[in-house]
Amino acid sequence: MNDILSQIQETFDGFLDQVVTSHEDAFSELGSAWKNSTFGEYELSLEGMQSLVGKAGEQAYDEAMGFYKAVDWSEDWLKVMGGVHAAVWLVWLGTVIFGSSSNFKIGFFLTIALLTSSASYINQYGIDNWKDFATQNYFDPNGTFLAVTWCLPMLVLLFLILMQILIDVGRLLVKVKVQQFKKEKGKKDAKETKKTK
C-alpha cells in the first residue's frame, strides 16, 4: 500500500511541477506547501486554499479577457464562424426539445466530428491566406486560436450529443430487456398452463 501511495505522490509531484512551472505566480505557494507535506496530511488552511483558488481564477479570467480583447470580433470570417456555431447549437437544441431519431443524432455527431477534425486544414489555409480575409494573423502552427474558437465549442457539443446517444441506447436496452422478460414470462406461463391441463 505504501508503494502505491508513494507512486501516487511522485505522480502528483511531477504533475505539480508542470503546473507550477506554467502558472508559477498563482501556484507557487500551493506547490511549496504540497511538497512540504506528506500524502494525506494537507497543511493548507481552508482560507489559504480559497486564496490560491481565487488567484488562479483571477489569472484565468484576466487571460480570457486578454484573449477576447485581442481579437477583432467584427471581422466577417469570425461572424461566419459564429454563425456556424449558432446553427449547429440550434440544431442540437432542436434535437433536445423536439426529439429526433438516433440515426439523426449519430449523423449529426459524425458531421460535427468531421467539422472539428477539419481544424488543421482550416488552420493551414489560414496560415497561407490570412491576408485575403483577416486584418491580422490569428493562425499559428499549433492552431491555438482555432482550437479555442472552433474546436472547443464543437467538442463540448460532441460530448453533449454523445450523452444523448448513450441515454437513448440505455433506454433502448431497458426496453429490449423488458420485452425479453415479458416473452420469457409468456413462455413460462404457457408451459405452466400445459402442465395443469
Side-chain angles (χ1 to χ4, degrees):
M1 186 67 167
N2 287 338
D3 291 339
I4 294 172
L5 287 178
S6 64
Q7 287 176 343
I8 292 172
Q9 177 84 35
E10 289 173 15
T11 303
F12 278 124
D13 286 345
F15 173 73
L16 191 59
D17 286 340
Q18 290 175 349
V19 170
V20 168
T21 303
S22 62
H23 292 84
E24 201 158 332
D25 295 339
F27 291 108
S28 61
E29 295 173 35
L30 178 62
S32 62
W34 180 269
K35 287 193 177 268
N36 294 333
S37 69
T38 60
F39 190 78
E41 294 179 30
Y42 210 68
E43 294 179 352
L44 288 176
S45 66
L46 182 59
E47 293 81 21
M49 291 281 298
Q50 289 172 339
S51 171
L52 290 173
V53 169
K55 287 179 187 177
E58 288 174 17
Q59 184 178 0
Y61 176 78
D62 290 342
E63 288 178 11
M65 289 310 295
F67 174 81
Y68 177 77
K69 290 176 182 176
V71 175
D72 180 10
W73 296 102
S74 65
E75 293 192 38
D76 290 338
W77 73 276
L78 289 172
K79 290 178 183 177
V80 169
M81 183 173 20
V84 170
H85 283 309
V88 295
W89 278 90
L90 285 173
V91 169
W92 174 77
L93 193 60
T95 65
V96 171
I97 294 172
F98 302 113
S100 64
S101 70
S102 293
N103 289 339
F104 178 80
K105 289 177 187 170
I106 291 170
F108 187 52
F109 180 86
L110 293 174
T111 302
I112 300 302
L114 184 65
L115 288 172
T116 305
S117 65
S118 69
S120 63
Y121 301 110
I122 296 170
N123 190 59
Q124 188 58 49
Y125 178 82
I127 289 172
D128 296 337
N129 303 301
W130 69 270
K131 291 179 182 176
D132 296 340
F133 59 89
T135 58
Q136 57 182 318
N137 188 3
Y138 295 104
F139 306 96
D140 64 352
N142 296 328
T144 306
F145 181 77
L146 276 184
V148 172
T149 58
W150 180 255
C151 295
L152 184 63
M154 296 287 190
L155 288 173
V156 170
L157 187 59
L158 282 172
F159 176 75
L160 294 173
I161 296 168
L162 182 62
M163 292 299 103
Q164 277 185 299
I165 292 170
L166 290 175
I167 288 169
D168 288 349
V169 167
R171 287 180 182 155
L172 185 60
L173 184 62
V174 168
K175 192 183 228 182
V176 167
K177 274 301 192 184
V178 166
Q179 292 295 326
Q180 182 182 2
F181 288 143
K182 285 181 180 179
K183 188 176 180 180
E184 288 174 5
K185 187 176 187 249
K187 286 181 180 179
K188 191 176 184 181
D189 290 345
K191 285 183 183 179
E192 287 180 8
T193 54
K194 280 184 180 180
K195 288 181 183 179
T196 56
K197 289 184 181 182

